[in-house]
Amino acid sequence: MSAVPRIVGTRLVQAVPLLLATVIVNFAIIHLAPGDPVTMMVGEGAVSADQMEALRLSLGLNNPLYIQFLDYLGSVLKGDLGTSYVYHQPVSEIIASRIPATLLLMGSTYVLSTVLGLAFGIIAALRPSSLQDRMLMTVAILGYSVPTFWLGFIALMVFAVELGWLPISGMVDSGLEPGSLGYWTSVLHHLVLPVAVLSLFYTGLIARLMRTSMLNSLRGDFIVTARAMGLSRWRIILRHAVPNAITPIVTVLGLQIGLMLSGAVLTETVFGWPGLGVLTVQAVAQRDYPLLLGMFLLTSVMVIIANVLTDLVYLAINPRLRGNG
Amino acid sequence: MADTATIDPATIGTGEEPMRTVSHWREVWDAFRHSRIALVALFVLVLLGFCALFAPWLAPFSPTEVNVMDVLQGPNAQHWWGTDDLGRDVYSGALYGLRISMAVGLMAGVVAAILGTIIGAFAGFIGGWVDALLMRITDFILTIPVLFLALVLIPVFGSSRLIVILVIGGLAWPSIARLVRAEFLKLRSEAFVEAARGYGARRLKLIFSEMLPNTFDLVLVSTALQVPAAILIEAGLSFLGVGDPEPRSLGLMLKDAYGLLGLAWWSAVLPGLVLSALAISLNLVADAFNDAVRGHE
């Protein structure tokens, strides 16, 4: 596996200009953003003009732009993303505190929709144009065409409000001791609806991709060979066709990790899930730019991590790329 | 790819190169027609388009008119789809909302098509490091969570319809660019392009009069695939409060209905069904169109 460090290394080196670009865009947005940062921080008319000027000075806002940029770059490198206008806490701490909730929601959705999507895609491709194929694919298109936020709150209306089977909002009932069995049962209970709704969307996308890839794979010469060798139908499908079909869509699956933040924003808002998505929507509503820019930076970091992970998985399942680096 | 046109050497340079012609579109339509579900979707889409176009004549009420006497009425003879908590007519709101959704989706599609075509064409035509750089940017944008970025960017630029369209369209071009690039790489070595080059055609003329017309149907298809996504993103942004500034769109109606959770099912279910019908029919039509143009498996 000598290629692994090299590929990870290449990716990380390529990530540097990407991150730098993000930081530059971030910096530009700070300066483009309407409203004066000092006014934003202390509130309109809260302090005298002299005090404002002193604050500007201490924040380095009177320095030339490139000095300000270098300052900003330096603090980003130190993990200092500034202080939230609204919470008056370090942005990095606020973001870190919300990551587990989003990770739980997105991770569950990701695993569930990948497994289901691949399975449905394979089943549909086995008999193209059959009834099962057409039904699965129609459901798949419905899955990614129906707006998730709408489906989410229709599901809320039915299962939470009308039937009362599932909780309406949040991630856990209050008053439970964190880490106890009751706590996790409650979390699981809260997780059902958002994961089900969001999974429908991603399952549809993945199923469509897998079907196309599987159809291509089934047409390959190696399938004819395997059949000629007298291998059983299921052995051919599971050992030969499926691995070949999965390889090209690993890239798509990996990149989906970054894209899932969009899904998180809407789903978390509908279900009151206390993660990064809700945090971002609140930051937008309150024009909390340091927090927003922190989220922006986090997004690019996630995209880069997704890229590296994708390469690694691709490497792991595609032996042709291994060995002689 | 359904490149059915053949080259007659006699026509090269005379303006009768193998453009995708009327007969090409006939073939596409014949392939499209094969799918019954696509035909149904096309019918629904045309119907929705008609409703959007003639909303001012079809809507019995003003979409924004507040009427405190008719608050939260269920569907009835006067208000077919009921009213919301401000007494606004849901049916009229949905008709006007449809208009906004379609306009924003189509315009974002146009922006994406223009950007994608230009970027893809230059990457494919020039090649070398320009191509490498453009494709890196393209791949990067492809991995950006669009709704999320739009959510962060729109408050910075200010929320107007133009900004919403530019941001959504400005992030939706990569798949179009990749397609145009791939097609250009292929076309570059095709006989009729070579011939025109040998003939002394200038670069820009080569791009505009020889190569672009031959990628037109692919651009159209991949743009069509982007439009439903753009519509859902706009609705999602409106739902979050940063979409189209019009006071009543499908996304905003759903946002208001969400606030009334369980109080007025009609204000949530009906506009959502309209939005879903639009996205579903667009996706089905774009999909069948895509299969028809590329020659279905």
Side-chain angles (χ1 to χ4, degrees):
Chain A
M1 300 276 281
S2 66
V4 175
R6 189 178 53 87
I7 290 187
V8 175
T10 316
R11 276 299 184 196
L12 289 180
V13 170
Q14 283 174 344
V16 173
L18 212 56
L19 275 177
L20 197 64
T22 314
V23 174
I24 292 173
V25 171
N26 254 355
F27 184 74
I29 292 178
I30 299 178
H31 285 266
L32 281 175
D36 174 54
V38 176
T39 317
M40 284 292 208
M41 257 171 89
V42 296
E44 200 86 50
V47 293
S48 71
D50 285 349
Q51 283 169 305
M52 292 271 280
E53 195 50 37
L55 201 52
R56 293 186 73 86
L57 217 57
S58 72
L59 287 168
L61 287 170
N62 291 342
N63 290 336
L65 221 51
Y66 74 94
I67 298 277
Q68 288 192 45
F69 175 70
L70 289 179
D71 283 347
Y72 178 69
L73 185 64
S75 47
V76 167
L77 287 178
K78 278 183 283 182
D80 175 9
L81 300 176
T83 307
S84 155
Y85 291 158
V86 175
Y87 297 89
H88 301 291
Q89 280 173 5
V91 166
S92 47
E93 275 175 30
I94 301 173
I95 289 180
S97 72
R98 297 296 191 101
I99 288 178
T102 297
L103 217 54
L104 178 64
L105 176 62
M106 290 294 114
S108 318
T109 304
Y110 192 72
V111 172
L112 185 69
S113 50
T114 303
V115 171
L116 289 180
L118 293 182
F120 290 156
I122 293 168
I123 294 171
L126 290 182
R127 286 212 231 123
S129 303
S130 66
L131 187 66
Q132 69 188 28
D133 178 28
R134 276 182 294 164
M135 269 171 55
L136 278 174
M137 284 309 113
T138 306
V139 173
I141 291 190
L142 290 187
Y144 66 79
S145 298
V146 175
T148 42
F149 60 94
W150 176 66
L151 197 64
F153 84 81
I154 297 298
L156 270 184
M157 275 166 63
V158 175
F159 294 103
V161 178
E162 287 299 319
L163 298 172
W165 292 350
L166 292 160
I168 290 180
S169 172
M171 187 171 93
V172 64
D173 290 330
S174 56
L176 293 164
E177 194 188 329
S180 65
L181 182 68
Y183 180 87
W184 286 112
T185 317
S186 172
V187 169
L188 215 60
H189 202 202
H190 283 79
L191 198 59
V192 173
L193 268 189
V195 168
V197 168
L198 203 51
S199 295
L200 195 70
F201 179 82
Y202 290 106
T203 304
L205 275 185
I206 296 169
R208 302 246 336 145
L209 291 168
M210 186 58 186
R211 174 181 178 273
T212 311
S213 188
M214 187 71 182
L215 283 176
N216 283 332
S217 169
L218 283 169
R219 263 191 249 113
D221 289 338
F222 62 97
I223 297 294
V224 181
T225 314
R227 208 171 278 151
M229 281 164 67
L231 298 183
S232 74
R233 177 175 154 80
W234 282 105
R235 199 181 154 80
I236 293 175
I237 290 166
L238 293 177
R239 293 294 302 275
H240 299 272
V242 169
N244 259 284
I246 285 180
T247 316
I249 73 165
V250 160
T251 319
V252 183
L253 285 178
L255 299 179
Q256 215 70 51
I257 295 175
L259 298 184
M260 287 186 102
L261 262 182
S262 287
V265 171
L266 286 169
T267 314
E268 287 183 5
T269 303
V270 171
F271 291 98
W273 192 265
L276 294 169
V278 166
L279 185 70
T280 311
V281 174
Q282 284 167 351
V284 168
Q286 296 157 334
R287 298 291 188 267
D288 191 346
Y289 289 106
L291 190 49
L292 276 181
L293 296 174
M295 286 304 303
F296 186 57
L297 201 64
L298 179 81
T299 313
S300 27
V301 171
M302 268 186 67
V303 168
I304 291 163
I305 292 175
N307 269 297
V308 174
L309 279 180
T310 308
D311 281 344
L312 282 181
V313 177
Y314 200 72
L315 210 63
I317 61 169
N318 193 350
R320 266 174 294 187
L321 293 177
R322 242 180 269 148
N324 48 23
Chain B
M1 312 278 148
D3 196 39
T4 50
T6 51
I7 305 152
D8 176 0
T11 65
I12 289 172
T14 61
E16 290 171 51
E17 290 84 352
M19 306 259 167
R20 310 236 155 129
T21 51
V22 178
S23 67
H24 171 66
W25 291 107
R26 250 216 109 78
E27 274 171 37
V28 169
W29 170 244
D30 280 341
F32 182 92
R33 229 165 34 146
H34 259 354
S35 165
R36 207 177 314 148
I37 195 154
L39 281 180
V40 174
L42 185 64
F43 176 74
V44 172
L45 193 57
V46 170
L47 198 69
L48 289 172
F50 178 83
C51 290
L53 210 58
F54 296 101
W57 290 275
L58 292 171
F61 294 90
S62 146
T64 49
E65 192 184 85
V66 173
N67 189 345
V68 281
M69 301 306 287
D70 292 336
V71 169
L72 289 180
Q73 288 189 2
N76 58 49
Q78 201 193 358
H79 296 284
W80 300 342
W81 290 10
T83 60
D84 68 2
D85 57 327
L86 294 176
R88 291 175 296 191
D89 186 56
V90 173
Y91 175 66
S92 305
L95 281 174
Y96 277 91
L98 196 58
R99 231 169 135 83
I100 296 168
S101 285
M102 284 185 133
V104 172
L106 284 176
M107 290 313 292
V110 169
V111 170
I114 293 172
L115 284 174
T117 308
I118 293 174
I119 293 166
F122 275 96
F125 190 82
I126 296 172
W129 68 268
V130 174
D131 179 31
L133 180 71
L134 285 177
M135 282 304 108
R136 266 232 69 77
I137 296 173
T138 305
D139 283 348
F140 179 63
I141 294 186
L142 212 49
T143 62
I144 290 176
V146 178
L147 180 112
F148 185 85
L149 191 66
L151 182 67
V152 177
L153 287 183
I154 287 173
V156 176
F157 291 125
S159 155
S160 71
R161 178 173 298 175
L162 184 68
I163 293 291
V164 171
I165 289 170
L166 287 180
V167 169
I168 297 177
L171 294 169
W173 56 264
S175 59
I176 302 169
R178 295 183 81 166
L179 215 86
V180 171
R181 171 184 175 267
E183 198 61 14
F184 259 55
L185 287 180
K186 235 173 51 191
L187 285 174
R188 217 155 53 150
S189 52
E190 294 251 353
F192 71 96
V193 175
E194 295 260 344
R197 193 180 289 140
Y199 205 70
R202 299 201 11 228
R203 273 181 160 202
L204 283 180
K205 181 175 190 312
L206 215 55
I207 293 182
F208 282 106
S209 65
E210 305 295 333
M211 295 166 90
L212 271 185
N214 279 287
T215 53
F216 182 68
D217 55 354
L218 284 173
V219 170
L220 211 59
V221 164
S222 55
T223 305
L225 288 167
Q226 296 298 318
V227 170
I231 286 174
L232 289 183
I233 289 172
E234 190 284 316
L237 287 173
S238 289
F239 182 73
L240 297 172
V242 296
D244 191 277
E246 199 71 29
R248 212 123 141 89
S249 66
L250 291 172
L252 274 179
M253 292 177 79
L254 292 176
K255 177 184 153 87
D256 294 342
Y258 177 69
L260 297 173
L261 200 65
L263 251 172
W265 63 265
W266 54 89
S267 71
V269 173
L270 299 171
L273 278 179
V274 171
L275 181 59
S276 302
L278 179 60
I280 293 167
S281 58
L282 265 170
N283 265 326
L284 286 169
V285 168
D287 223 58
F289 185 30
N290 184 41
D291 288 345
V293 165
R294 286 155 175 264
H296 190 34
E297 31 240 13

